[in-house]
């Protein structure tokens, strides 16, 4: 059922950066999340997006996170997510929107998610992660038509969306639920599984328990967003490459580290991608 994702099977298949290019060439990525208590999640996601090559990265987040984001990641732009007019403009100008890391589960966050889903238009892409998945399970809302959607749940989040208990999440059951929901599914677990809307299914051949630390999923979401934004003509390859490189790099680092921290993956991404793509 699954095709294995391997370095040799993915490497050197994504296009190199053209000599005639500029920052807009590599995607306008909007990340929305990070309430006043969970700002680290959206900052980790934004760092991963920038280091993975997103051309223009904007973060819409609580004002409590603005100073930390500027200090940690001066390459990213920042916006107050309570400003609805500005948030709408940013959403409609983006090539890809990542929604959810550190977003929170209150009424304010739910309203923001529903507004963004309404504002998206055909031709854009959407990645849903973390709290956005729980909000969508608790408060269903129509998804935008003509917008490819990627979800990146861990098994408990997938249970909330699919009603499949973790022990019942067999490949056959996951595939049936994914087809019914219509998402591209990245199911995070040992041996992460990908179920794509074209019917293809993949499984990771890499990974390490050293990855089991907070923020790892936020970093993956940021990588997925950046790859999909900058490689618009290679959706499946871009998605598979982002998921693979996230675990591959952690596995390599775990040879000399007891635990791999999410920000360390981001910091090593530019060098790894140079070898992987170029």
């Amino acid at each position: 059922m699954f095709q294995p994702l391997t370095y040799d099977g993915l490497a050197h298949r994504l296009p190199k950066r053209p000599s005639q290019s500029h920052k807009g060439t590599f995607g306008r990525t909007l990340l929305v999340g990070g309430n006043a208590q969970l700002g680290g999640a959206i900052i980790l996601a934004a760092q991963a997006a920038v280091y993975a090559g997103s051309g223009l990265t904007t973060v819409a987040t609580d004002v409590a996170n603005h100073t930390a984001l500027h200090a940690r990641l001066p390459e990213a732009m920042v916006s107050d997510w309570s400003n609805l007019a500005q948030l709408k403009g940013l959403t409609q100008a983006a090539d890809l929107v990542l929604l959810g890391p550190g977003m929170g589960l209150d009424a304010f966050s739910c309203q923001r998610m529903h507004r963004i889903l309404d504002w998206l238009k055909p031709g854009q892409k959407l990645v849903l992660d973390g709290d956005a998945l729980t909000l969508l399970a608790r408060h269903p809302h129509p998804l935008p038509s003509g917008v490819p959607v990627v979800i990146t749940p861990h098994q408990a989040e997938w249970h909330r969306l699919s009603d499949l208990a973790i022990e019942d999440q067999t490949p056959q059951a996951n595939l049936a639920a994914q087809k019914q929901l219509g998402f591209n599914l990245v199911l995070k677990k040992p041996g992460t599984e990908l179920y794509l809307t074209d019917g293809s299914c993949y499984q990771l051949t890499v990974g390490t328990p050293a990855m089991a630390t907070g923020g790892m999923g936020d970093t993956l979401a940021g990588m997925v967003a950046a790859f999909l934004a900058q490689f618009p003509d290679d959706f499946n390859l871009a998605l598979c490459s982002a998921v693979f490189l996230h675990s591959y790099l952690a596995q390599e680092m775990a040879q000399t580290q007891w635990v791999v921290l999410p920000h360390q993956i981001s910091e090593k991404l530019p060098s790894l991608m140079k070898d992987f793509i170029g």
Side-chain angles (χ1 to χ4, degrees), residues 12 50 62 81 101:
H12 310 300
V50 169
D62 191 279
W81 69 347

Side-chain angles (χ1 to χ4, degrees), residues 183-227:
F183 300 117
N184 293 281
L185 168 64
V186 178
L187 181 56
K188 298 180 294 193
K189 53 183 285 191
T192 290
E193 299 166 359
L194 290 80
Y195 303 84
L196 307 188
T197 54
D198 69 352
S200 56
C201 301
Y202 302 92
Q203 187 168 37
L204 278 187
T205 58
V206 291
T208 169
M211 301 171 70
T213 185
M216 194 60 71
D218 304 312
T219 295
L220 173 61
M223 288 179 61
V224 167
F227 272 62

Side-chain angles (χ1 to χ4, degrees), residues 33-45 59 61-62 64-65 68-69 101-102:
N35 64 17
Q37 292 76 41
L38 301 171
I42 200 67
I43 292 173
L44 284 169
V59 180
T61 187
D62 191 279
N65 304 318
L69 180 69

Side-chain angles (χ1 to χ4, degrees), residues 31-179:
L31 298 88
V32 183
N35 64 17
Q37 292 76 41
L38 301 171
I42 200 67
I43 292 173
L44 284 169
Q47 182 180 18
V50 169
Y51 281 56
S54 170
L56 286 164
T57 304
T58 302
V59 180
T61 187
D62 191 279
V63 292
N65 304 318
H66 289 198
T67 298
L69 180 69
H70 280 310
R72 180 72 172 265
L73 194 67
E75 296 87 352
M77 296 170 282
V78 67
S79 172
D80 179 1
W81 69 347
S82 67
N83 185 329
L84 274 178
Q86 190 172 77
L87 184 60
K88 181 178 181 179
L90 291 170
T91 298
Q92 294 182 333
D95 297 308
L96 181 144
V97 176
L98 165 59
L99 186 58
M103 192 170 190
L105 302 174
D106 59 9
F108 174 90
S109 296
C110 186
Q111 180 197 58
R112 287 297 175 273
M113 183 185 75
H114 287 175
R115 291 288 185 95
I116 289 169
L117 294 178
D118 289 338
W119 291 332
L120 287 166
K121 57 188 185 296
Q124 296 178 289
K125 299 182 182 71
L126 175 65
V127 178
L128 297 173
D129 179 64
D131 290 337
L133 299 173
T134 299
L135 285 171
L136 192 63
R138 293 180 180 177
H139 309 282
H141 190 85
L143 293 174
S145 61
V147 175
V149 180
V150 176
I151 64 170
T152 57
H154 53 60
Q155 288 179 284
E157 291 166 337
W158 180 231
H159 162 64
R160 296 176 197 130
L161 282 168
S162 67
D163 290 327
L164 291 171
I166 292 176
E167 59 269 22
D168 296 328
Q169 292 176 12
T170 64
Q172 292 75 18
N174 289 335
L175 179 60
Q178 177 264 332
K179 286 183 176 179

